[in-house]
Amino acid sequence: MSIRILLADDHNLFRQGLRRIVETQPDMEVIAEASSGLEAVNEARQHHPDVAVMDIAMKDLNGIEATAQLLRQSPDTAVLILSMYSDERYVLRAVKAGARGYMLKNSAGDELIQAIFMIQRGTAFFSPAVAQIFQNGYARLKDVSGINDRFELLTDRERQVYQLLAEGNSNKEIAKRLNLSLHTVETHRWRIMEKLDLHSTADLVLSAVRRGMVT
């Protein structure tokens, strides 16, 4: 039986390249693609893939938050983060969100195939450079994104609104994008500011940058 794969990356050409690599394998099949974190969550809910290959830097919902939400919708899916970011904060938060593997985009195609096979079978996979980062920073995982972090207080919807605000979207733009009323978005914004103890839009953007949600 083929390994059923979801590809999530906001660059169409890069997704096409991933598809070509994956489809050289007779026992792998790309069943869905997504260009944003929200699309990835929705596609996983519909298709329940065996493996999701996920970028981090995506609009609407970044890959780390998308991983956490995807696994709540499709808990048997194994998530492989494929990113250009090797910073410790991204690696640790991805693992905290439930990713089973993490590799860099400049890795060779055969490493991607190996990673997919391994995580689908239940084994974690980290490319060599990422493995060292993970080992060095694991002891600080709780400090980076632990249960005492105020961010844990946000609901899934509030996290979506939080990222969209940090990306510079207005309340009206967010309401249209998420199909919500303006009042609902304003309420979410107020709750986000209160829960995170933020006092201005500048504070919100800075907190999102420090968290690695936007760059």
Side-chain angles (χ1 to χ4, degrees), residues 89-102:
R89 59 180 174 169
Y90 294 105
V91 177
L92 297 181
R93 285 177 182 145
V95 173
K96 177 70 174 179
R100 196 173 293 172
Y102 195 117

Side-chain angles (χ1 to χ4, degrees), residues 72 94 110 130 192:
R72 285 195 283 273
D110 55 353
V130 173
I192 291 165

Side-chain angles (χ1 to χ4, degrees), residues 2 24 35 49 65 69 76 97-98 101 104 106 138 168 171 181 193:
S2 296
T24 63
S35 61
E65 289 305 312
Q69 294 190 28
D76 293 330
L104 302 180
N106 60 5
Y138 184 76
N171 290 350
S181 70
M193 302 289 279

